[in-house]
Amino acid sequence: MSVTAIVGAQWGDEGKGKFVDILAADADLVVRYNGGNNAGHTIVNEYGTFKLHLVPSGIFHQQAVCIIGPGVVIDLPGLVEELREFEAHGINFKGRLFISPRCHLILPYHRALDRLYEEAKGRLSTGTTGRGIGPAYADKAGYNGIRLSDLARRSLFLEKLGLQVSIKNRLSVALGGETMSADKIASDYLDYYNYIQPFVRETFGLVQDAIQGGKRVLLEGAQAALLDPDWGGYPFVTASTTLVSAATAGAGVPGRAIERIIGVAKAYTTRVGNGPFPTELTGADGEHIRKNGQEYGTTTGRPRRCGWFDTEVVRFAAGLNGFTELALTKLDVFDDFETIQLATGYEWGGKPAHYYDGDAIFLEECQPTYESWPGWQQSINAAQTFEELPENARKYLQRLEAVTGLPASFIGVGPRREETIIR
Ligand code: GDP
Ligand code: IMO
Ligand code: MG
């Protein structure tokens, strides 16, 4: 078993970081392949609680080489802050963290434009994390990006940056924003680069050698299938591809090398930002899930929207990604629920409908069809095997497996590494 991918099966924040941390105990290489610091991957282990935005969640395991692949957009001050936090906790990453020089940079004007576009769009806004993700990937696609490798060539970097700042300043003024100084950005970013320069190296050989040598490789996805720009409810999506296929370009891994594709899903559903959410609960049950599950954004602290498990969404994600199994997280959040609803499908205009039948506006009009399942009304945090779960929890899980058509190989019963049932 060599190459395993960990992919979000809903709208993000499913617990991908926790599972990468668990599986990385037996990995030689961990590669993050998409997104930027819009991601927030929480890990609770013997070192404490960490919220990783760019560094692969395998970093806590000393045998694991960690790579930030070329598909990732990098916020340099954010990355430096993350690395300094590891230093403060005595977590050694030197000599085993590598960053692709192909990574594009998120620059201060990307963050400013992200905010200005959102403000200008008003009720049509996406509800982004404000990290400059869309504008940074837009520059990458439009041949206006600046990459880490550019920082190694000082005069070329200054030339590219000067040109981009002059363009972005004009855009910013048109949108009612401020102008920026290229000199200030240049001096800050050259300083950040000094700090991370020892970790920047071409990663192609590392990844290829690992695959050809039969090493254990973990691919860490950010965001999730329903935020994919092609398959999510555009424009309420993120800018980079979120499917497992993103790992081919974003990590430099041939598609046929990926053997195991683990879809991570919560036992319910959450979403941050705007856009359709058919099983959303706006009343007491939603508040109950938010309170038990501590559903506040890892990156922005925004309250997450909460709802019942949506089989239609997870089946769709499974079809797009080819999940071999599920890692189902946060089952413990239902510990004190009397009844749990499970959405098994959608109806539109009184007829069966699918997620993929229409656009974001169509999805707003879809009605989920629900089944009711009795809760178990006891704590399951200590369960280490499927058999140790209460009967009603087993029944809910078995039904969830049947309707999604996927086995749940991992079941999360608490945030900590060891609060996990491995089947
Ligand atoms: P990611 O972006 O997919 O890595 O997920 P986040 O870290 O944004 O959000 C998942 C949250 O759920 C984090 O606070 C985790 O510590 C927490 N978590 C993960 N698995 C479980 C679980 O099985 N039970 C509980 N109660 N919390 C969990
Ligand atoms: P992880 O990896 C949840 C959402 C934002 C917004 C939309 C676009 O932690 O699961 P962006 O800043 O990317 O332009 O915002 O995407 N979003 C996420 N939601 N988890 C994430 O990452 C997300 N990354 C982006 O809330 O709706
Ligand atoms: Mg997250």
Side-chain angles (χ1 to χ4, degrees), residues 11-14 16 32 38-41 114 126-134 221-224 227 236-239 271-274 298-299 302:
W11 275 285
D13 302 328
E14 297 90 349
K16 298 175 291 292
R32 170 77 194 271
N38 48 348
H41 294 180
D114 189 355
T126 291
T128 69
T129 60
R131 296 294 190 267
I133 304 298
Q223 289 84 47
L227 289 169
F236 307 107
V237 295
T238 191
R271 170 163 209 181
V272 265
N274 305 332
T298 308
T299 298
R302 291 179 288 180

Side-chain angles (χ1 to χ4, degrees), residues 283-318:
D285 281 330
E287 196 49 54
H288 193 175
I289 293 178
R290 186 173 309 113
K291 182 173 149 281
N292 286 8
Q294 287 297 301
E295 293 298 352
Y296 295 90
T298 308
T299 298
T300 58
R302 291 179 288 180
R304 293 177 183 144
R305 300 157 65 191
C306 299
W308 300 119
F309 186 88
D310 186 336
T311 307
E312 181 62 31
V313 154
V314 174
R315 270 198 305 251
F316 179 55

Side-chain angles (χ1 to χ4, degrees), residues 125-185:
S125 68
T126 291
T128 69
T129 60
R131 296 294 190 267
I133 304 298
Y137 278 111
D139 271 355
K140 174 178 177 177
Y143 327 121
N144 287 303
I146 298 180
R147 306 199 298 175
L148 259 184
S149 59
D150 291 320
L151 279 161
R153 296 196 175 86
R154 193 187 159 91
S155 67
L156 183 64
F157 169 64
L158 295 178
E159 189 183 345
K160 287 189 176 181
L161 183 70
L163 175 66
Q164 289 305 322
V165 170
S166 80
I167 296 170
K168 268 50 177 204
N169 277 345
R170 276 173 275 175
L171 261 177
S172 175
V173 169
L175 289 164
E178 318 257 296
T179 57
M180 290 186 182
S181 148
D183 291 347
K184 169 83 175 95
I185 299 175

Side-chain angles (χ1 to χ4, degrees), residues 55 59 62 64 66 79-80 82-88 90-98 195 199:
V55 174
I59 199 73
Q62 288 300 317
C66 291
L79 178 60
V80 170
E82 232 168 285
L83 297 181
R84 289 215 189 277
E85 199 190 335
F86 294 144
E87 283 177 352
I91 297 156
N92 177 44
F93 54 87
K94 298 194 169 124
R96 60 181 193 89
L97 171 69
F98 300 105
Y195 177 81
F199 309 105

Side-chain angles (χ1 to χ4, degrees), residues 12-19 39-44 51 57 220 223 264 266 292-295 297-298 304 328-333 381 411-416 419:
D13 302 328
E14 297 90 349
K16 298 175 291 292
K18 176 184 168 177
F19 280 93
H41 294 180
T42 311
I43 291 148
V44 187
K51 295 173 188 300
S57 301
E220 177 174 0
Q223 289 84 47
V264 187
K266 281 174 184 166
N292 286 8
Q294 287 297 301
E295 293 298 352
T298 308
R304 293 177 183 144
L328 196 79
T329 61
K330 305 191 99 163
L331 188 63
D332 54 298
V333 168
N381 292 126
I411 301 156
V413 291
R416 292 183 304 131
E419 288 172 320

Side-chain angles (χ1 to χ4, degrees), residues 310-384:
D310 186 336
T311 307
E312 181 62 31
V313 154
V314 174
R315 270 198 305 251
F316 179 55
L320 288 170
N321 284 291
F323 294 151
T324 53
E325 63 223 273
L326 283 181
L328 196 79
T329 61
K330 305 191 99 163
L331 188 63
D332 54 298
V333 168
F334 285 141
D335 279 356
D336 62 354
F337 275 62
E338 262 175 48
T339 316
I340 300 162
Q341 309 282 335
L342 179 66
T344 52
Y346 295 162
E347 282 185 354
W348 185 86
K351 293 203 183 87
H354 290 292
Y355 178 90
Y356 46 82
D357 287 335
D359 60 8
I361 295 163
F362 162 84
L363 282 165
E364 296 281 6
E365 296 163 359
C366 284
Q367 292 297 324
T369 45
Y370 288 108
E371 287 177 358
S372 248
W373 289 83
W376 41 94
Q377 314 244 350
Q378 68 185 84
S379 168
I380 59 169
N381 292 126
Q384 285 292 300

